[in-house]
Amino acid sequence: MDKNTQLFQYNLDWKTFQRVLYYTKKYYGMDALYFYEANPFKSEEEFVLICFRQATEFFVRDETIAKYIEPIAEDEKEVLFWVFRCIDWAFIRAELKEQAEGESIEDCIDVGEYYHQAMRKELLGLYLFCKETPVRPKMTNEITLTINKGVKNFHRKITIPNYSNWMLRSALLHYCEEHLGDIHSVEEARVALKSYQKAGRTSSNPIADCIIYGTYSMLKDVTKDPKVTSTRLCKIITCFLYYLEMISEDEAVDEQLVAGRIKYMLKMDKKPRFIPMSYSEMNEAERAAFEAELHRPLHNPRFDDLL
């Protein structure tokens, strides 16, 4: 954290904080431990938040956003403002803990979600490459593997004779087939890969996806917005991502980037959320309820060897 960064302090009362937790747990997966240490403060105490900026700035300074949230009851609107402030504080706490070699926010995302969204796409491309590359049987089919090209100290290169194309025909192809259990042909792989290419231009970022989907779901519920991806809703999410420094200034003026990401997640039935910090302490029933809400295992067992 830049030592010159301007910070704001807020005092949040216990009663309001409990209402905030309802939203952060339901829509983002963030339980109380994201916002304070293991020993909770007493009910008569106030909860101190530290934020980078005034977290409600982007609500009030933009007319289209202000109009979108206008129907929300004032008391609920105030709670939503606190939700955004608390999320800001959670990221600051994670950064401070990481600087102190503690647990970072990246440790609290569903890593399996990355492999669902990014690794599967890569495996589909590799599957097609393996299936469509001509084979010279009983001859060398030389392959050169290069990694981290242009990155000093990490760049490596190896040339393999690849007799009878064993790497693509057997090793890599079998690996792809094992991890793409629903793909049985080149045609199916092309269709699956095409759905990724159509789903939106934004790249997969597990942390940003948690913020995008959580904010989207929360505001859709409280505003009863009937549109799938209204421009005003996407503008709020875009502004929040920019506020959290997850997107650039150029990206912050294009709400369609977020709209494309939302459509992709809806199409693929993905509900990315942060893992509750108390997950390790949950009993079996509580874990099952959390995982059922995501409609899939917390960590996809088909990708365990990649984690």
Side-chain angles (χ1 to χ4, degrees):
M1 186 184 302
D2 191 327
K3 63 181 180 181
N4 296 319
T5 300
Q6 185 178 6
L7 299 175
F8 292 81
Q9 179 173 314
Y10 299 93
N11 294 321
L12 177 59
D13 65 88
W14 174 260
K15 184 177 179 180
T16 303
F17 183 56
Q18 295 306 301
R19 295 182 65 189
V20 168
L21 281 179
Y22 168 80
Y23 288 100
T24 61
K25 287 193 290 187
K26 180 177 181 180
Y27 296 106
Y28 298 94
M30 289 179 160
D31 57 9
L33 296 185
Y34 274 86
F35 312 112
Y36 60 72
E37 297 303 330
N39 295 321
F41 55 88
K42 298 177 181 179
S43 59
E44 65 270 14
E45 294 177 336
E46 288 187 322
F47 179 34
V48 177
L49 299 176
I50 305 296
C51 299
F52 280 119
R53 292 174 292 276
Q54 291 177 296
T56 56
E57 272 185 356
F58 60 87
F59 280 102
V60 296
R61 72 185 176 194
D62 188 283
E63 185 178 342
T64 59
I65 291 178
K67 191 170 183 179
Y68 183 82
I69 66 173
E70 193 175 63
I72 304 174
E74 287 301 319
D75 64 330
E76 188 170 28
K77 193 184 301 183
E78 183 63 26
V79 173
L80 294 181
F81 291 164
W82 282 112
V83 168
F84 287 109
R85 289 170 184 152
C86 283
I87 292 174
D88 187 8
W89 169 230
F91 276 86
I92 292 177
R93 287 189 74 239
E95 186 175 347
L96 293 173
K97 291 176 73 175
E98 187 173 17
Q99 289 175 358
E101 299 182 349
E103 189 176 45
S104 69
I105 202 78
E106 286 83 357
D107 297 323
C108 298
I109 60 172
D110 183 352
V111 181
E113 183 67 28
Y114 170 81
Y115 289 100
H116 272 286
Q117 296 186 12
M119 196 67 187
R120 178 176 166 83
K121 179 180 177 181
E122 294 175 17
L123 288 176
L124 286 168
L126 182 58
Y127 175 87
L128 290 173
F129 183 75
C130 291
K131 296 288 283 188
E132 295 176 337
T133 299
V135 177
R136 299 196 308 162
K138 299 182 181 179
M139 300 179 66
T140 59
N141 294 254
E142 188 176 280
I143 285 181
T144 299
L145 298 178
T146 301
I147 188 169
N148 297 319
K149 187 175 181 179
V151 182
K152 189 178 180 180
N153 298 328
F154 290 90
H155 178 217
R156 295 291 184 274
K157 180 178 178 181
I158 185 173
T159 298
I160 301 173
N162 188 33
Y163 181 76
S164 201
N165 196 28
W166 67 269
M167 285 194 69
L168 302 189
R169 180 179 52 81
S170 179
L172 293 179
L173 178 60
H174 289 172
Y175 189 85
C176 290
E177 290 173 338
E178 179 185 352
H179 289 80
L180 298 170
D182 58 333
I183 301 299
H184 305 97
S185 67
V186 167
E187 291 72 23
E188 290 180 355
R190 285 203 187 105
V191 171
L193 191 57
K194 194 173 182 180
S195 69
Y196 282 87
Q197 295 165 344
K198 284 185 174 181
R201 292 172 288 160
T202 52
S203 60
S204 177
N205 178 329
I207 296 178
D209 282 351
C210 293
I211 297 298
I212 291 172
Y213 189 80
T215 307
Y216 169 79
S217 302
M218 179 176 69
L219 293 179
K220 281 274 288 183
D221 284 353
V222 298
T223 62
K224 305 297 189 292
D225 183 359
K227 295 182 180 180
V228 177
T229 53
S230 67
T231 301
R232 289 170 178 168
L233 173 54
C234 291
K235 189 175 185 66
I236 292 176
I237 298 171
T238 300
C239 288
F240 192 40
L241 291 174
Y242 179 65
Y243 166 79
L244 293 173
E245 300 181 351
M246 292 186 183
I247 60 176
S248 68
E249 189 173 357
D250 291 337
E251 293 173 309
V253 297
D254 189 356
E255 293 84 19
Q256 290 307 308
L257 292 174
V258 164
R261 195 71 199 147
I262 291 170
K263 290 175 182 176
Y264 164 79
M265 287 188 275
L266 295 176
K267 182 181 179 69
M268 303 301 289
D269 192 27
K270 302 299 180 187
K271 298 181 179 181
R273 297 201 306 165
F274 293 100
I275 299 174
M277 288 191 178
S278 59
Y279 181 82
S280 61
E281 300 173 359
M282 291 182 184
N283 59 39
E284 188 173 344
E286 290 171 332
R287 289 192 184 192
F290 173 75
E291 294 169 7
E293 192 171 340
L294 296 181
H295 289 189
R296 57 175 174 74
L298 185 65
H299 293 294
N300 183 1
R302 299 192 64 82
F303 289 100
D304 277 354
D305 60 331
L306 300 177
L307 300 180

